[in-house]
Amino acid sequence: QVQLQESGPGLVQPSQTLSLTCTVSGGSVRLGGYYWTWTRQHPEKGLEWIGYIYYSGSTDYNPSLKSRVTISIDTSKNQFSLRMSSVTAADTAVYYCARLFWSNGLVYFDYWGQGALVTVSS
Amino acid sequence: EIVLTQSPGTLSLSPGDRATLSCRASRSVSSTHLAWYQQKPGQAPGLLIYDASSRATGIPDRFSGSGSGTDFTLTISRLEPEDFAVYYCQQYGDWPPITFGQGTRLEI
């Protein structure tokens, strides 16, 4: 059973950089056909996809966040990470890491972390 | 980007009832490139349906999906108490970005 676990500071100051790490267990991030993603959910709101990374290092991001987001991967640790710069209160949300299956024209999230609440406040 | 609009925003039903949830796309999502998720309070979303009508592993057959193009439906044939949650649709017909609907809350 694949498990994902987010970790990182729960409080970030405005204008600073948000950093989160997702540790994957029960499966390898090197598995073909699976992409490693970040999605966020604002309080009492819907879901916003942030971006993905493949084990090769290729990435893609939501155009609305692309200028501030970097996703990286450490295959030796079976982890991937999110960095979001210049945060504001509007970035306060629960951040989920998730595995994305992408093959044969199908694209869906099959495993999610439990989520990490990040509050942007001074 | 493709905008997904779910209706109704809230659906009030009772155990044993049939639930019909709608997801409409602002333009075609390339045939059946749509998934449905269930989210319970304090939990991450869980995959229910992919490719518009294929049930994910372990999902009971009271859950079914249908539709194509711009109009999709999630039907729960006979509601169980554990089905009361928020449901999201997600499109992958034209991405990035992957987009989600705003959710339908199914309440007792």
Side-chain angles (χ1 to χ4, degrees):
Chain A
Q1 177 84 347
V2 175
Q3 293 185 314
L4 297 91
Q5 179 66 58
E6 304 90 350
S7 59
L11 180 65
V12 181
Q13 301 233 345
S15 79
Q16 298 302 302
T17 296
L18 177 161
S19 295
L20 292 171
T21 295
C22 183
T23 300
V24 180
S25 58
S28 173
V29 297
R30 295 191 185 92
L31 190 59
Y34 291 94
Y35 293 70
W36 303 95
T37 74
W38 290 95
T39 297
R40 68 182 182 180
Q41 186 168 34
H42 294 98
E44 303 302 319
K45 299 291 186 182
L47 298 156
E48 180 180 31
W49 174 74
I50 298 171
Y52 74 70
I53 191 164
Y54 197 52
Y55 74 89
S56 62
S58 65
T59 57
D60 210 342
Y61 303 113
N62 191 322
S64 67
L65 297 169
K66 190 171 185 175
S67 64
R68 299 194 292 128
V69 170
T70 301
I71 299 176
S72 58
I73 195 164
D74 187 336
T75 57
S76 67
K77 295 182 179 179
N78 229 33
Q79 294 177 333
F80 62 103
S81 299
L82 170 70
R83 288 175 58 86
M84 180 179 294
S85 63
S86 306
V87 297
T88 69
D91 295 310
T92 294
V94 175
Y95 287 75
Y96 292 102
C97 59
R99 189 176 81 167
L100 183 76
F101 174 79
W102 180 9
S103 182
N104 296 325
L106 300 177
V107 177
Y108 54 78
F109 301 91
D110 59 354
Y111 288 98
W112 297 70
Q114 65 184 30
L117 174 61
V118 178
T119 300
V120 179
S121 175
S122 56
Chain B
E1 71 180 48
I2 293 179
V3 176
L4 299 178
T5 301
Q6 293 186 240
S7 61
T10 301
L11 187 58
S12 298
L13 293 171
S14 300
D17 287 349
R18 180 185 184 90
T20 302
L21 288 67
S22 174
C23 177
R24 176 164 289 179
S26 57
R27 63 178 188 271
S28 177
V29 299
S30 300
S31 185
T32 58
H33 291 182
L34 190 110
W36 290 92
Y37 299 82
Q38 176 193 69
Q39 186 177 34
K40 296 181 179 179
Q43 297 184 18
L47 179 67
L48 292 173
I49 301 284
Y50 63 92
D51 203 25
S53 61
S54 298
R55 272 188 301 276
T57 302
I59 300 303
D61 61 7
R62 66 179 181 273
F63 290 90
S64 63
S66 63
S68 65
T70 60
D71 290 292
F72 299 86
T73 300
L74 174 69
T75 301
I76 311 171
S77 60
R78 189 174 173 82
L79 286 166
E80 298 286 342
E82 63 268 27
D83 299 337
F84 292 90
V86 180
Y87 292 84
Y88 294 96
C89 55
Q90 169 238 318
Q91 69 81 25
Y92 52 91
D94 182 11
W95 72 290
I98 290 172
T99 53
F100 295 87
Q102 83 281 15
T104 289
R105 180 179 304 275
L106 180 56
E107 63 178 26
I108 297 177

